[in-house]
């Protein structure tokens, strides 16, 4: 999954989304975190990429429908890596924003809000022209606030992709 090949395939059904950006994600995480800090990933795929890139076996994983769909939930629980309650010490929360289909994303945001409360603004990593988006939040239980407003979501169906528009157009 070379960056040049991913760039060419971004947006197509051939895009290797489950494999894309592991090296870049690992380098970015290494630059953001300090060895030994707790890292929580939104799903098993992100956790595996980070664990491999950073040489760690302690990356925690949230309960996620994809973990069950891909048969990883029992494995994550057996390894003691599933996070079911907020961390008691400061931690990093990596959200793979593009792993969840848009129709399920709002429910996922609500689950994250219920677990972490209001999170600070994230650090962002965009790969392959934004086809993959990772959000890294710093969770501090001492500063955690209840209540959380999930991001607004919308679908844009007009104008169509690659359409030519004038100075004024309808969305």
């Amino acid at each position: 999954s070379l960056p040049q090949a991913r760039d060419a395939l971004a947006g197509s059904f051939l895009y290797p989304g489950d494999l894309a950006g592991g090296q870049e994600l690992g380098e970015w995480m290494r630059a953001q975190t300090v060895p030994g800090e707790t890292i929580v990933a939104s799903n098993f795929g992100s956790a595996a990429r980070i664990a491999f890139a950073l040489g760690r076996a302690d990356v925690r994983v949230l309960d996620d429908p994809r973990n069950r769909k891909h048969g990883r939930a029992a494995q994550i629980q057996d390894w003691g890596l599933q996070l079911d309650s907020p961390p008691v010490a400061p931690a990093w929360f990596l959200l793979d924003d593009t792993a969840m289909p848009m129709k399920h994303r709002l429910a996922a945001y609500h689950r994250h809000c219920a677990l972490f409360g209001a999170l600070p603004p994230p650090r962002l990593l965009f790969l392959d022209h934004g086809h993959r988006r990772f959000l890294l939040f710093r969770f501090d239980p001492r500063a955690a606030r209840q209540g959380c407003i999930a991001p607004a979501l919308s679908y844009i169906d007009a104008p169509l992709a690659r359409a030519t528009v004038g100075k004024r157009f309808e969305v």
Side-chain angles (χ1 to χ4, degrees):
S1 186
L2 298 172
Q4 300 87 340
R6 292 192 335 261
D7 278 353
L9 297 174
S12 80
F13 72 94
L14 296 173
Y15 179 76
D18 289 342
L19 304 173
Q23 182 175 350
E24 295 95 331
L25 177 60
E27 291 170 3
W28 184 68
M29 288 295 294
R30 190 174 290 108
Q32 306 296 318
T33 63
V34 174
E37 289 183 309
T38 299
I39 299 174
V40 179
S42 59
N43 62 59
F44 78 92
S46 298
R49 283 194 284 274
I50 297 166
F52 181 76
L54 300 180
R56 294 181 57 170
D58 63 344
V59 176
R60 306 296 301 273
V61 185
L62 296 182
D63 182 30
D64 182 91
R66 289 182 46 142
N67 299 347
R68 289 182 295 284
K69 177 183 174 186
H70 294 282
R72 299 290 192 249
Q75 179 183 20
I76 292 165
Q77 288 179 341
D78 284 349
W79 289 349
L81 295 176
Q82 183 167 305
L83 182 77
D84 293 317
S85 58
V88 296
W92 292 101
F93 169 45
L94 180 72
L95 172 60
D96 182 349
D97 198 41
T98 48
M100 184 70 60
M102 184 64 82
K103 64 184 177 183
H104 300 300
R105 207 169 288 173
L106 185 59
Y109 289 160
H110 284 256
R111 286 192 308 273
H112 303 150
C113 282
L115 182 64
F116 293 109
L119 288 166
R123 299 175 188 186
L124 305 170
L125 174 65
F126 295 96
L127 298 175
D128 301 339
H129 308 289
H131 191 72
R132 292 300 302 247
R133 288 181 309 282
F134 294 93
L135 289 71
L136 183 63
F137 298 91
R138 183 65 173 164
F139 173 74
D140 185 346
R142 297 167 299 193
R145 297 186 330 268
Q146 291 303 313
C148 179
I149 299 173
L153 299 175
S154 65
Y155 294 93
I156 298 177
D157 56 5
L160 295 175
R162 297 176 190 68
T164 302
V165 297
K167 288 183 180 181
R168 296 177 62 88
F169 60 94
E170 219 174 275
V171 176

